[in-house]
Amino acid sequence: RDQPRSRGLGDVYKRQDMVAQAYLGKMVNISEEGQDVTGLVDSVEKNEDGTIFVTVGDKNYLPANITRVSNP
């Protein structure tokens, strides 16, 4: 039987980047540090260390903190 191919870290990072790009232009609810934020995702960026974040308003958030996504 064929064994499923193990994903390397490069594949994982590419997949995370593609998923985060899907949030662009969407309304999101974000729960971070005990606060809930709702807003439109203005941009999706990757910083120097490879961390992906979404920008809502003037603040950056980790995509893992998004609790709800909807069309604007």
Side-chain angles (χ1 to χ4, degrees):
R1 296 171 59 179
D2 289 334
Q3 295 294 319
R5 185 174 80 88
S6 174
R7 292 191 184 273
L9 279 180
D11 291 339
V12 171
Y13 291 136
K14 286 177 198 171
R15 188 174 65 231
Q16 287 175 346
D17 197 19
M18 289 173 23
V19 168
Q21 288 291 334
Y23 295 130
L24 192 56
K26 303 284 186 184
M27 287 296 285
V28 293
N29 292 5
I30 298 170
S31 181
E32 186 172 277
E33 298 175 3
Q35 295 187 6
D36 291 331
V37 175
T38 299
L40 189 69
V41 175
D42 300 313
S43 66
V44 177
E45 306 289 336
K46 188 185 298 186
N47 67 15
E48 305 82 36
D49 70 2
T51 302
I52 297 167
F53 57 89
V54 298
T55 303
V56 176
D58 292 332
K59 189 163 182 209
N60 298 330
Y61 300 94
L62 294 173
N65 294 328
I66 295 174
T67 58
R68 184 179 176 134
V69 181
S70 61
N71 288 320

